[in-house]
Amino acid sequence: VARDISERKLVEAKLQLQSAALEAAANTIVITDRWGLIQWANSSFTNLTGFNANDAIGKKPGDLIKSGKQDHQFYEDLWQTILSGQIWHNELINRRKDGGLYFEEMTITPLRNSAGEIDHFIAVKQDVTERKQVEAALVKSEQAYRTLFENMPIGLYRTSANGNMLDANPALFRMFGYPDRLSMLEKNAEDFYVDPLFNQKFAEEIKTKGVLSGFESQYRRLDNTTFWAEDYVRTIFAEDGSPLYFEGSMIDITVRKQA
């Protein structure tokens, strides 16, 4: 009897630990029955959605937080996946109790009973609203940068650490007499120098200094005519300190040099 009591206490202690861990988890955890009715939710669910346990128990998550931002097929795919015994993982937009929208990353895992039948689902959710906002801001910033890059009246470019052309704006490929960006991207920077010694000097100085400003050199156009240009170039370094790529701007100074 004493042994049975001791084993029971160990089981109870283990269950209490598991329950405490689920309750204290930073991620939102929700357990539903086979039909999607909420059986249990930790306190993070309230922090995330604004709905407390009394609001949630016995209701479907969709009745509380569905935003309407996902179509019917999205939820059909979700249910087909978990009812087949597979784990479902995706991102979606839901609505808080106060009406505010948020992004969450959710994983739903089917739970089986002793007979091997699916009788519950456990959903683990993480609020990724801030990450999504940062991603949206980066996309907007990139779009603004690209607009500026494409429309700047001075030549802008990017090359690999080995000098292969990675990008060129219209002002640059027109400066070199190329019909489009792609035709110029087939080249290496050294192909454009009239004097190979200038290219060697440029390569040595940019790798040593990291930034070059006012570097003047003579370049060759596609039709073999030449012109003078002034460069501003900076090195973008990798985490290990090695050059990752170079980016710079170029201004045609042929008239000034002739004068």
Side-chain angles (χ1 to χ4, degrees):
V1 175
R3 182 178 178 181
D4 290 342
I5 293 174
S6 178
E7 289 181 350
R8 186 168 68 249
K9 286 183 176 180
L10 287 174
V11 171
E12 290 174 352
K14 184 177 180 180
L15 291 174
Q16 288 174 355
L17 177 61
Q18 291 174 342
S19 178
L22 290 173
E23 179 60 36
N27 285 353
T28 296
I29 300 175
V30 178
I31 298 175
T32 74
D33 63 15
R34 180 181 174 83
W35 294 273
L37 298 176
I38 297 173
Q39 306 294 296
W40 182 86
N42 66 353
S43 57
S44 292
F45 177 80
T46 301
N47 296 335
L48 177 63
T49 68
F51 292 100
N52 59 37
N54 292 332
D55 296 325
I57 301 301
K59 295 185 176 66
K60 292 183 177 181
D63 296 335
L64 301 173
I65 59 177
K66 193 172 183 178
S67 66
K69 296 296 183 179
Q70 289 78 222
D71 59 21
H72 178 73
Q73 188 59 48
F74 180 91
Y75 295 103
E76 280 289 322
D77 293 342
L78 184 161
W79 277 104
Q80 287 178 12
T81 299
I82 61 178
L83 287 174
S84 68
Q86 300 178 63
I87 295 173
W88 181 91
H89 179 83
N90 212 328
E91 293 181 355
L92 63 161
I93 302 173
N94 278 327
R95 190 183 303 277
R96 295 187 177 90
K97 189 175 183 178
D98 62 9
L101 299 179
Y102 67 95
F103 289 85
E104 70 175 19
E105 186 176 80
M106 180 165 63
T107 300
I108 302 178
T109 304
L111 303 177
R112 299 180 183 272
N113 58 24
S114 58
E117 300 168 334
I118 297 173
D119 61 356
H120 287 86
F121 300 104
I122 181 168
V124 179
K125 303 160 170 278
Q126 181 177 2
D127 187 351
V128 294
T129 304
E130 185 175 352
R131 189 190 78 196
K132 286 293 186 178
Q133 290 171 340
V134 170
E135 290 174 355
L138 287 174
V139 169
K140 187 175 181 180
S141 175
E142 175 61 26
Q143 290 172 341
Y145 165 78
R146 198 69 204 179
T147 298
L148 181 65
F149 182 86
E150 294 295 327
N151 293 286
M152 281 290 284
I154 63 175
L156 300 175
Y157 62 89
R158 183 178 294 168
T159 75
S160 70
N162 296 323
N164 293 322
M165 295 295 295
L166 299 176
D167 205 355
N169 74 339
L172 188 81
F173 63 72
R174 286 197 295 264
M175 188 185 302
F176 279 84
Y178 283 81
D180 52 43
R181 190 191 328 271
L182 290 178
S183 58
M184 194 170 187
L185 298 188
E186 297 173 354
K187 302 291 184 178
N188 186 283
E190 65 181 15
D191 298 332
F192 303 123
Y193 286 95
V194 173
D195 185 349
L197 291 178
F198 272 93
N199 180 51
Q200 184 179 348
K201 180 183 177 182
F202 169 84
E204 290 173 354
E205 289 197 24
I206 190 64
K207 288 180 179 178
T208 302
K209 299 178 180 178
V211 175
L212 283 181
S213 181
F215 185 90
E216 296 181 3
S217 183
Q218 194 173 20
Y219 295 93
R220 191 182 309 280
R221 298 186 182 93
L222 181 62
D223 63 4
N224 283 324
T225 59
T226 63
F227 68 99
W228 282 87
E230 182 178 279
D231 263 352
Y232 169 85
V233 190
R234 68 169 182 155
T235 309
I236 306 301
F237 293 97
E239 291 184 1
D240 63 2
S242 62
L244 189 60
Y245 63 88
F246 304 112
E247 61 182 20
S249 61
M250 184 179 292
I251 301 174
D252 188 333
I253 59 169
T254 305
V255 174
R256 189 180 82 193
K257 297 293 285 188
Q258 290 173 341

